[in-house]
Each structure stands twice: as structure tokens, then as C-alpha cells.
Amino acid sequence: MTRTGKAFTWVGGIVLLIIAALVVFVLTFDWNRLKPTINDKVSAELHRPFTIRGDLGVDWSRDDKDIGGWRAWVPWPRIHAEDVVLGNPKNIPGDSMVQLQRVEASISPLALLGKQLLIPRIWLKQPNASLQRLANGENNWTFNLAGDPNQPPSAWSVNIHDIVFDRGQIAFKDATLKADFRAEIDPLGKPLPFSEVTGKKDAGTTIPQDYIFGWKVKGKYNGEPLSGSGKIGGMLSLQNAEVPFPLQADVRSGSTRVVVAGTLSDPMNLGGLDLRLKFSGDSLGNLYALTGVLLPNTPPYSTDGHLTARLHEKGGAVFQYQKFDGKIGDSDIHGDLKYVAGKPRPTLSGEVLSKQLRFADLAPLIGADSNTQKAGRGEKSRQPAGKVLPVEKFDTKSWKVMNADVKFTAKRIEHGSSLPLSDLYTHLQLDNGVIVMDPLRFGVAGGNLNSTVRLDGSKNPMQGRADLHARKFQLKQLLPDVGSMKRSLGQLNGDAKLTGSGNSVADLLATSSGDLRMVINNGVISRSLMEILGLNVGNYLVAQLFGDDVVGINCAAADVGIRDGVAAPRLFVFDTENAIINISGNTNFATERLDLSIDPESKGMRVLTLRSPLYVKGTFAHPDAGVKAGPLIARGAAAVALGVVLTPAAALLALVSPSEGGEENQCGKILQQMKQKK
């Protein structure tokens, strides 16, 4: 052998000896000697205690199920660590955030040559996590790493293909959400295809992964009992932003139930959602605590629709609830809504349609839920005894948390015969605590009620303004079940403008100021009509004025001024077949008291037996009527009253329109005569 050959032989032998020594060292080295160094290094980097309390070791094995191909012939190291504990930062109470009975990970030795830590799979045995957030917002799942920001990024990369575990537990406590619950996660045993859970073959162009794990949760959320269960995909699908991550859940919080099934896109970055969403509960208002979306208080509801979300839009996350169907109370709802989590406030917009709306289901929305509607749902009534006007408070404090631009249409309104509404349309806008409904339009008795309502909840007390216009209410349709009304060919027309302040309907009316004008022509009045309406005082008055007869009304005209909650008529007259009736006095909305005087004057040969004025006094809940003691009515007193109403008569003429069939409106004649008198 030449000198050169001997040199190569020695070098080769030395290399083989070094490799053999390294193999022997690796196979026989006690890796537990590295635990103090590893524990100290990880603790310093994470700014919280980290400890491997059990055995730390490395096994070498070939496993073609995990690796596959030619690499299965190369032994791969499998690192294991037992009894691993990651603690909490100093500001969070409790000893640990994560506990693992055992963790194993296989590592590709060849990938290390390219400065890549390739981990095909990590096995976790009985992982147990405890997540906490304090009232000041501090939490234990946010990590402040100790790395130097001025240092260039590491040339090494980490690639984890899959994470598997047997059974895991997650405890979650959040003081800001008033949440305290525990979730358990278990493998399903075998993968469950996405289509078997959702009924959909795909979620777009890419078939989602199968469901791998099932989970259950129990505890409290926002102070209410929380329970639920569901399924999620495997950890492998979390790594691929192109593969939708499957999720399914059925959760109850208090009286609210939420059921979802669908996918999460780009799961590691929470890219977006594509879910079938069903939710139900006692009131839509309860969803604010659960979702942050401000909705009105309602009767019990349920909906089913398609929820999509783009969570990283420039102007804020965008959620769209499309083609949903459902019910609120006994009313159906359908539509599309969009929620943008923008600044300074999120915005809810869209259109909602009800093909058949039960009017009673609107009561909580308009602050009229103090009486029978609330009691009918098993809730305690807040309406004081003896009060008629609704005292239920509007929750104006919540109006500033969100903006809204929603259009609502009710094609048909279900109601009793005492409320002849046919349809509804409104465009509601909420901006920085101010609600505007323009228009708020009802179809009423063959006519329509057009109004604009503005409620400024940014002020305390709330400021309210309403502008209402009633046109062509057909009298015979106002009370279709009353036989005597069928002979009525006339109409009701009216205008009202009111402003007030207060946080309930009762408070708004108690402070209101404005004007009310109304004209009725070609109507009828009788004792039986008053009985049907439930107006005992009206029944008494009609009996005193007309006896048991059905009396035709040529024209009824009212021009009422309202100041600081007190309504006093400038003009309030009934021109009937038998008499002219003049009403004076006032109505106090703050005290809910009446003080009215009814002065009749007979017409022609039909002389009224009553020659003294009538009165109506008392409260709205318990009115009292009678005959005034004192002198008889001066003949012509009512007629004199009509002669001094120049301005009211002129204002009311604008409300006169032709009667049904084109007949001349009796109010036109009478008001013209009144206008000409001085």
C-alpha cells in the first residue's frame, strides 16, 4: 500500500470511529442532564416558568407510516418528555397554563442540514390547558418573547405537519366576559366526512378536511349557564390556508341556542367563515352579550341562514347573514343583513321582510311592552297600577355601541278588528345614539299613516320628535265588525307634530308640545258603538246626548294645541244630524287626568232633552262623567264658539278631501262657514 493509500485509510478509520463514537454517545447519553438548561432557557425566552419534571429521552426508529418513501429506511430520532408544565406569568394567578403528561415528536435528521426543523407529527398525551383573562384585560395566552428586536431573524425554520392527542381539557376564565367554563376534546375514533355533518358535498372549490375531534363544553358565559358540543377537524388542516377547516357546534347560553356547521378558512390566521347558522332564544336583545351585535328586545325568535365572514378587511371584519328565514313571536322574517366591525362603531345594514307580521310582536320595539305582552311571556309587568301610558324604558345607553341602516317591510299585518293595519314599511337609521325612522309608514283602513320619528338617545333625557300624517282612513274599515259603521261613507284625515323628552312613551307624552289636527266626515255615533269600543264614559255621554239612536256625524273637527304635556283644544266640534257638540277643557298627559266640558246645542225641530253641559273628569284609567250643576246652556253658545275659530278652521280645511264615491265632503261646507265668521 502506498503512503497515500495508508493516509486515506487512517482518515477513513478516524471518521468511522468518530461516527461510531457519536452514535454510541447519542444512544447512551442521559438526556435528562440537559433538562436544567432547557428549562432555564425556555423560561427566560417565554418570561414564565417552564419545567420538564419527568423523563427526557431520544429513541431512534423507522416508521414508514409517519415518514414514508425511501426515508423510512433512515432511523429518525423521536424525542419524548414526560410531565411537562408551562406556568403562568407573574401577573396571572395559578401555577400552570399548560400541563402535558407526555409529549413525543419525530424529527427529520436530514432536514437539519438545511436549517429546517421538520416535525412530521407531535403526539400529546392528556393535554390540559387553563386560559385566563383578568378584569384589566391581561391574559396568560399572550407571550412576550425575550428575543432582541435588533437581531436579524433566525435562518432556521420550523415545519410541523400534524398534532395528535388522546384527550384534552381546556379551562377558560375571563372576567371581562364573565365566562368560566371547561371544554373536553376527544378523538372521534375515525374521521367523519364533512358532508355527513353539513349535508354539503363541498365548501366552494376545495373539499374540506374530515372532522377528527369531538368536544363538549360546560360552565358559564356572561353569568348565564353555558353548555354545548361539536366537532372540529384535525390539526393537520390548520397548517394549510387553502384547505377549509371544518367546525360544527351546538351551544346554549342562558335562553340562547346557537347551531353552526361549516368551515373556517386560513385557520391559523382566522381568515374567514362559511357556516350555516341557526340561532334562537327568548329575545334578540340577549344576543348583544354573546355577539356584540345590538338588536331590539323581541318576543321569542328563531332563524336559519348562511353566515359568511371576511375577518381581515381593511375597514373591519365583515359578517353577512344571507337568505335567512325565521320567526319572531308569531311573525315570519326573511332577509339579508351585513355587519361591519368598523370604527368608531360597527354598522349593521340590510333589509328584512315579514310576509305576515303579528302586530303584538312589535310591542317591545316601540316601548309598549309594559302590560299584557310582557305578562303573556311570563315576565313581571313593570306598569304601575292606575297608569295607562307605557312606562317601559328605552335602553338608550346601548344605542351608541353600534350604527344601523336597516329597511323593514311587513306585507301583511295580523291584528284584531280594533286595529285595522294592513302593511308596514320603515327605513331605520341609528347613528351615534340617534334613531331616525323615515319613513315609518302603515297602511290603515284603506288609507295610510306616513310619519317620521326621531329619537335622540345621545341626550339624557332622550329627545323625541314625531311628524305624523293620516290620510283617507275609511271609516267603515276602521271598525269593519260594527254593523252601524257600514253606512259611513266618510274618511278620517289628520296631522300631528309633537316633540318631547323622556325615556319612555309616558315620559315623552308628559313633556310633549305640538299640534294635533283631525277631520272626520260622514260618520256615525251610537251607544252600541261605544260599548263595542269599551268606552264606558263615551257610552254614558252618547246616551245623554242622543239616547239609543244611531246618529250621523256630518263633520267632526279638532285642532288641539299641546304644551308641556297638556292638550287643550282650540277647536273640537261635532256637527251631527241632531246637534252641534263643542268640547273644551284640557287633558294632562303627565298626571293622566281629564278635565273636559261637552256643550251641546240642538238643531232644528229635534230638540235635545239635555240642556246642561256635561263633564268628563278623573284619570285615564278611571274617568268619570256627569252633568254639570248650574245654569242651563245659553242658547246659541255652541254656535258662538264656532264663530271665533277663524284660524283653526282655515288650518283644518287643508285636511278635507272628497268622500268615497266623489260625494261632497260635509266638513268642507262647515269649515268654510266657520272661516267666514268673525
Side-chain angles (χ1 to χ4, degrees):
M1 180 179 294
T2 63
R3 188 183 298 272
T4 302
K6 289 181 178 181
F8 276 113
T9 300
W10 276 100
V11 170
I14 293 172
V15 169
L16 291 175
L17 182 62
I18 293 173
I19 292 174
L22 287 173
V23 170
V24 172
F25 174 79
V26 169
L27 293 177
T28 61
F29 179 74
D30 183 6
W31 295 92
N32 288 293
R33 296 169 61 183
L34 296 179
K35 287 196 301 184
T37 302
I38 295 174
N39 292 341
D40 292 343
K41 179 64 175 175
V42 175
S43 298
E45 286 291 329
L46 299 183
H47 287 164
R48 63 182 69 193
F50 174 84
T51 308
I52 301 174
R53 300 193 296 199
D55 182 54
L56 174 65
V58 177
D59 300 318
W60 293 79
S61 64
R62 297 191 301 269
D63 190 345
D64 57 358
K65 290 188 295 184
D66 291 339
I67 302 171
W70 61 271
R71 295 176 298 175
W73 295 94
V74 179
W76 282 37
R78 178 177 290 191
I79 301 173
H80 69 265
E82 296 181 347
D83 196 5
V84 180
V85 178
L86 176 62
N88 283 318
K90 294 180 180 180
N91 57 324
I92 302 294
D95 295 331
S96 65
M97 173 186 169
V98 176
Q99 291 181 321
L100 295 169
Q101 184 173 330
R102 181 182 175 93
V103 56
E104 295 183 22
S106 59
I107 299 176
S108 168
L110 298 179
L112 297 175
L113 301 176
K115 295 186 177 182
Q116 180 185 28
L117 183 59
L118 174 61
I119 304 175
R121 181 169 293 174
I122 295 177
W123 294 264
L124 305 178
K125 186 174 182 179
Q126 295 186 4
N128 193 336
S130 179
L131 307 180
Q132 295 185 63
R133 179 159 58 182
L134 307 181
N136 60 8
E138 295 180 346
N139 63 70
N140 66 345
W141 61 79
T142 299
F143 292 86
N144 297 314
L145 301 181
D148 186 350
N150 297 319
Q151 291 291 330
S154 173
W156 285 81
S157 62
V158 179
N159 188 356
I160 302 173
H161 283 180
D162 197 8
I163 301 175
V164 296
F165 54 87
D166 49 1
R167 168 178 285 191
Q169 293 188 4
I170 300 175
F172 182 79
K173 290 185 178 181
D174 191 327
T176 63
L177 298 176
K178 299 179 182 178
D180 185 356
F181 56 81
R182 178 175 292 273
E184 294 185 357
I185 304 176
D186 282 303
L188 292 175
K190 65 176 182 178
L192 185 62
F194 177 79
S195 59
E196 287 191 17
V197 176
T198 64
K200 297 170 62 177
K201 293 185 178 180
D202 58 56
T205 58
T206 306
I207 299 176
Q209 295 288 328
D210 294 335
Y211 291 96
I212 303 297
F213 295 100
W215 57 267
K216 294 180 180 179
V217 64
K218 190 171 185 179
K220 288 190 174 182
Y221 183 88
N222 197 37
E224 296 282 352
L226 173 73
S227 63
S229 61
K231 303 173 184 66
I232 57 174
M235 300 299 106
L236 176 61
S237 49
L238 289 172
Q239 300 293 320
N240 191 343
E242 303 300 323
V243 178
F245 181 77
L247 58 91
Q248 181 267 333
D250 186 345
V251 179
R252 295 177 184 268
S253 176
S255 64
T256 302
R257 181 184 182 188
V258 180
V259 179
V260 299
T263 60
L264 169 65
S265 61
D266 191 7
M268 294 300 290
N269 297 305
L270 294 177
L273 296 169
D274 187 347
L275 304 169
R276 181 181 179 185
L277 169 64
K278 300 179 183 179
F279 57 98
S280 58
D282 286 346
S283 171
L284 284 171
N286 295 339
L287 286 175
Y288 177 66
L290 191 64
T291 65
V293 180
L294 178 65
L295 295 169
N297 290 320
T298 67
Y301 69 92
S302 63
T303 72
D304 183 354
H306 181 204
L307 176 69
T308 59
R310 303 187 305 277
L311 302 177
H312 296 292
E313 293 295 296
K314 185 176 181 180
V318 177
F319 298 83
Q320 290 181 281
Y321 194 39
Q322 298 170 309
K323 297 180 180 179
F324 65 83
D325 299 298
K327 296 188 72 175
I328 296 178
D330 292 325
S331 306
D332 66 286
I333 55 169
H334 318 270
D336 298 277
L337 291 172
K338 180 179 179 180
Y339 181 81
V340 180
K343 300 293 182 181
R345 286 171 297 278
T347 300
L348 178 70
S349 61
E351 296 192 24
V352 179
L353 167 70
S354 178
K355 296 177 181 177
Q356 180 161 310
L357 173 70
R358 182 172 174 263
F359 188 75
D361 295 331
L362 282 178
L365 281 67
I366 60 176
D369 197 29
S370 305
N371 302 309
T372 56
Q373 291 91 353
K374 185 173 287 292
R377 295 202 304 270
E379 300 178 46
K380 184 178 179 180
S381 173
R382 301 178 187 176
Q383 190 75 4
K387 290 284 287 184
V388 172
L389 299 177
V391 301
E392 188 80 2
K393 299 294 183 182
F394 294 96
D395 185 15
T396 57
K397 291 182 180 179
S398 63
W399 292 2
K400 287 187 177 182
V401 304
M402 191 181 80
N403 290 343
D405 187 344
V406 178
K407 297 176 181 178
F408 176 69
T409 302
K411 289 188 173 181
R412 181 177 180 274
I413 296 180
E414 178 187 330
H415 51 77
S417 59
S418 61
L419 197 63
L421 302 177
S422 56
D423 56 80
L424 163 66
Y425 171 78
T426 188
H427 182 186
L428 182 147
Q429 293 176 294
L430 171 62
D431 186 5
N432 195 22
V434 180
I435 290 178
V436 177
M437 287 178 281
D438 184 17
L440 174 58
R441 183 170 64 239
F442 289 93
V444 183
N448 57 76
L449 175 63
N450 283 297
S451 57
T452 299
V453 177
R454 187 178 191 272
L455 301 174
D456 188 350
S458 66
K459 296 181 173 61
N460 190 20
M462 179 180 73
Q463 305 294 305
R465 185 174 71 227
D467 189 356
L468 302 93
H469 304 278
R471 291 294 182 269
K472 297 185 178 181
F473 289 12
Q474 304 302 315
L475 297 182
K476 62 183 178 182
Q477 294 185 36
L478 281 172
L479 296 166
D481 297 334
V482 181
S484 60
M485 289 296 291
K486 293 180 180 179
R487 58 176 277 194
S488 300
L489 301 177
Q491 301 174 351
L492 181 152
N493 293 278
D495 289 329
K497 289 186 179 181
L498 295 173
T499 60
S501 61
N503 294 328
S504 69
V505 172
D507 291 342
L508 287 169
L509 289 175
T511 59
S512 61
S513 294
D515 298 284
L516 168 65
R517 296 185 175 94
M518 182 176 64
V519 169
I520 298 174
N521 69 287
N522 298 342
V524 296
I525 192 168
S526 66
R527 287 186 63 184
S528 61
L529 176 60
M530 297 296 103
E531 289 175 358
I532 291 171
L533 295 177
L535 301 176
N536 293 330
V537 168
N539 184 13
Y540 170 82
L541 295 175
V542 172
Q544 291 292 321
L545 292 169
F546 307 114
D548 294 330
D549 295 337
V550 175
V551 177
I553 299 175
N554 298 320
C555 176
D559 187 338
V560 180
I562 305 170
R563 297 293 178 270
D564 299 323
V566 179
R570 293 182 282 257
L571 168 68
F572 197 168
V573 295
F574 286 79
D575 184 281
T576 74
E577 296 172 342
N578 299 344
I580 296 175
I581 313 297
N582 186 59
I583 300 175
S584 58
N586 64 73
T587 299
N588 192 318
F589 292 108
T591 60
E592 294 195 6
R593 297 194 67 86
L594 300 159
D595 187 3
L596 300 174
S597 178
I598 295 93
D599 299 304
E601 180 185 352
S602 63
K603 277 184 168 183
M605 297 302 295
R606 302 188 67 175
V607 180
L608 291 173
T609 57
L610 179 69
R611 294 300 309 280
S612 294
L614 299 170
Y615 68 82
V616 178
K617 294 186 177 182
T619 65
F620 292 0
H622 303 288
D624 175 51
V627 180
K628 282 188 177 181
L632 301 178
I633 300 173
R635 184 167 178 78
V640 171
L642 299 184
V644 294
V645 290
L646 171 62
T647 302
L652 289 168
L653 274 170
L655 298 176
V656 176
S657 61
S659 298
E660 186 175 294
E663 295 90 348
E664 184 178 6
N665 191 315
Q666 293 293 318
C667 283
K669 279 185 181 181
I670 295 168
L671 292 172
Q672 285 288 359
Q673 293 171 5
M674 291 164 57
K675 180 181 177 182
Q676 293 167 7
K677 292 183 180 182
K678 293 186 181 180

